[in-house]
Amino acid sequence: MARPTSRFVCQACGASFPRWEGQCRACEAWNTLVETLVREPGRTRVATRTLEGGTPPTPLRDIQESEVARRSTGIGELDRVLGGGLVPGSLVLLGGEPGVGKSTLVLAAAAGIATRAPGGSGSPGGATSPGARARPTPGASTGANDAPGPVDTVLYASGEESAGQLRLRARRLGLVDGPAGASILVVAETDVERIVERARDVRPAVLVVDSVQTVALDELDGPPGSVGQVREAALRLLQYAKNDGVPVVLVGHVTKDGSLAGPKTLEHLVDAVLALEGDRGGGLRLLRATKNRFGSTEEVGVFAMGEEGLREVTDPARAFLADADRGAPGSAIGATLEGSRPLMVEVQALVAPVAYGTPRRTASGIDQNRLALLLAVLARRAGIGLASHDVYASVAGGLAIEEPALDLPLALALASSLRDRPVRPGTVAAGEIGLLGELRPISGLARRLREAERLGFERAIVPAERGRQSGEVPDRVGGLRVVACGTLREAVTLALAPAAEGAPTP
Ligand code: TYD
Ligand code: MG
């Protein structure tokens, strides 16, 4: 039975019920009831009143453009993904699998914020002009802009770990004795209302809630982490962020399939969704914005997890190659583009005759459907049949790459494994593969080629230009020879080293 303050609302039809049921009695959908806070009429009126007090409709041309004063986190790669820093009053969700390093990253960012003056990341010294402080201080009686403002503290609400554990981590990161040791305030608290209360007292520069799955509202019956709790908690924190103009960073866990645990609505609710991904065993982490109201979703940040926390990798192009290029069959290097950043990644494939039953297709970091499609194209258009083979394919380094240009390196890795012939050393490939076995042009070719050349690759296999797309494919870029292929079959022939050792490169 729900408390008087909550109802179970069907997410499909909107009908509401006093208790949870497996099936909605109104629309007969299954598992759609979510516990939702019933807002008291009084509270609703408060919200309406603030709206009424707001500005009247204004012609577009008369509206002042607001230069948002972003707050640098002191971590270049994070600022880059955020679009230049944290925007006042924004709600940012940082998602990732457990253990990937979310808490480590936010703690380091908290330290960066606490020890830096507000201002854009473009001013490394920190713009200390009071005008740059865009954070309104509602409690202050003076005008928000010329008030000296409180010390830059960061309030870190930890529901996941005890304060002691957090300190241990901070010590490992070398933050306890520095200025951050004094200005990061930790509260081990899971009640959202109390977290907001604390934040109102402290008036931090940034509020961190780690994690959204561990906090809860008292008014709801469901356990922390349930869809209703996660959503209502996020809503409450959103309200705080907007009202007080304080950026709130929410840490959120993602489930195995890569989606954020909790309601999909969480992603619509927040201003930015950052995803931290990478192999827990391996050291590298990729941070990308899957949504960003205040910046592009094109940027990625690269970190290396080490003894002293996450280190920025400022030249990441080669980072994900690990010790690839050692000429093992089943390995191919792809020139991918993550946003505006070219990254060379190793694709690995292993094919083995089926022992019994249906062949297995296991993909990691690669879309399963894309793999299935490529296997069909390889069989029908390139004479590389894998119907009676188990197939394992992955992107090295725990990356997940959705780019179409990964098709060609993946196909080459598969062909290489089946034929037991390595891809020629020094070769990089990029290209989308069509259903007819043709190679389709990809975006940003020039940028990928330049980067491959810089990293010392000797040969790039790319789609030949066709039809209207012309003048794109050069013969060579510096020391990099560019081999343009029209079809997958051709690319496979050119890419694989001959079976016999020591044959000359065509
Ligand atoms: P953590 O930030 O706790 O992950 P999350 O909050 O996403 O669950 O990081 C967990 C892992 O990071 C843990 O296995 C230990 C490792 N780690 C390091 O390798 N070096 C470090 O300096 C720190 C703090 C953690
Ligand atoms: Mg954590």
Side-chain angles (χ1 to χ4, degrees), residues 96-105 160-161 169 172-173 210 251 253 276 280 285 305-310:
E97 283 182 24
V100 76
K102 300 179 296 296
S103 303
T104 308
L105 181 62
E160 197 115 304
E161 296 166 305
R169 183 200 310 276
R172 205 166 155 187
L173 304 183
D210 187 0
V251 173
H253 292 296
L276 189 63
R280 231 181 309 170
R285 303 285 185 272
M305 176 66 93
E307 282 296 303
E308 280 96 43
L310 289 165

Side-chain angles (χ1 to χ4, degrees), residues 308-349:
E308 280 96 43
L310 289 165
R311 189 172 46 78
E312 299 175 55
V313 178
T314 37
D315 181 18
R318 205 190 175 99
F320 288 95
L321 278 184
D323 45 358
D325 212 0
R326 59 200 160 227
S331 159
I333 315 279
T336 68
L337 207 55
E338 281 297 322
S340 58
R341 271 188 167 177
L343 290 183
M344 305 296 140
V345 300
E346 184 192 4
V347 186
Q348 296 183 337

Side-chain angles (χ1 to χ4, degrees), residues 27-289:
C27 71
E28 302 191 339
W30 285 95
N31 287 326
T32 53
L33 297 198
V34 169
E35 193 181 16
T36 308
L37 207 61
V38 178
R39 313 242 179 257
E40 302 145 34
R43 279 212 210 167
T44 323
R45 228 174 290 130
V46 173
T48 329
R49 195 174 342 119
T50 11
L51 275 185
E52 281 167 1
T55 46
T58 316
L60 202 47
R61 57 151 198 253
D62 297 342
I63 299 174
Q64 286 213 333
E65 278 181 35
S66 49
E67 259 313 310
V68 277
R70 292 168 183 270
R71 183 176 283 273
S72 167
T73 61
I75 302 174
E77 294 286 292
L78 176 59
D79 284 349
R80 174 192 175 99
V81 176
L82 282 167
L86 280 169
V87 173
S90 63
L91 184 61
V92 176
L93 180 64
L94 172 66
E97 283 182 24
V100 76
K102 300 179 296 296
S103 303
T104 308
L105 181 62
V106 282
L107 190 60
I113 293 158
T115 50
R116 285 168 70 96
S121 59
S123 48
T128 33
S129 87
R133 187 182 297 271
R135 177 161 47 96
T137 45
S141 52
T142 37
N145 272 352
D146 48 52
V151 198
D152 278 341
T153 52
V154 173
L155 184 62
Y156 194 118
S158 177
E160 197 115 304
E161 296 166 305
S162 69
Q165 282 171 312
L166 205 69
R167 188 193 145 112
L168 268 180
R169 183 200 310 276
R171 209 195 19 230
R172 205 166 155 187
L173 304 183
L175 299 176
V176 176
D177 300 323
S183 43
I184 298 179
L185 306 177
V186 178
V187 48
E189 181 65 78
T190 55
D191 185 297
V192 177
E193 213 52 64
R194 250 177 289 164
I195 291 173
V196 170
E197 225 170 82
R198 292 277 176 278
R200 289 246 154 92
D201 291 344
V202 173
R203 287 197 277 132
V206 175
L207 169 64
V208 173
V209 177
D210 187 0
S211 66
V212 69
Q213 275 92 11
T214 55
V215 295
L217 268 79
D218 200 33
E219 291 100 318
L220 296 186
D221 242 2
S226 63
V227 174
Q229 286 285 17
V230 168
R231 189 179 62 183
E232 293 292 345
L235 268 171
R236 183 69 191 90
L237 292 165
L238 175 73
Q239 198 189 1
Y240 165 72
K242 301 291 169 215
N243 280 352
D244 290 40
V246 174
V248 176
V249 179
L250 281 179
V251 173
H253 292 296
V254 299
T255 52
K256 280 262 163 7
D257 66 352
S259 62
L260 276 158
K264 199 73 190 153
T265 44
L266 197 54
E267 290 180 29
H268 302 303
L269 206 102
V270 300
D271 295 305
V273 181
L274 308 187
L276 189 63
E277 51 189 62
D279 208 350
R280 231 181 309 170
L284 286 164
R285 303 285 185 272
L286 196 70
L287 181 72
R288 57 176 123 215

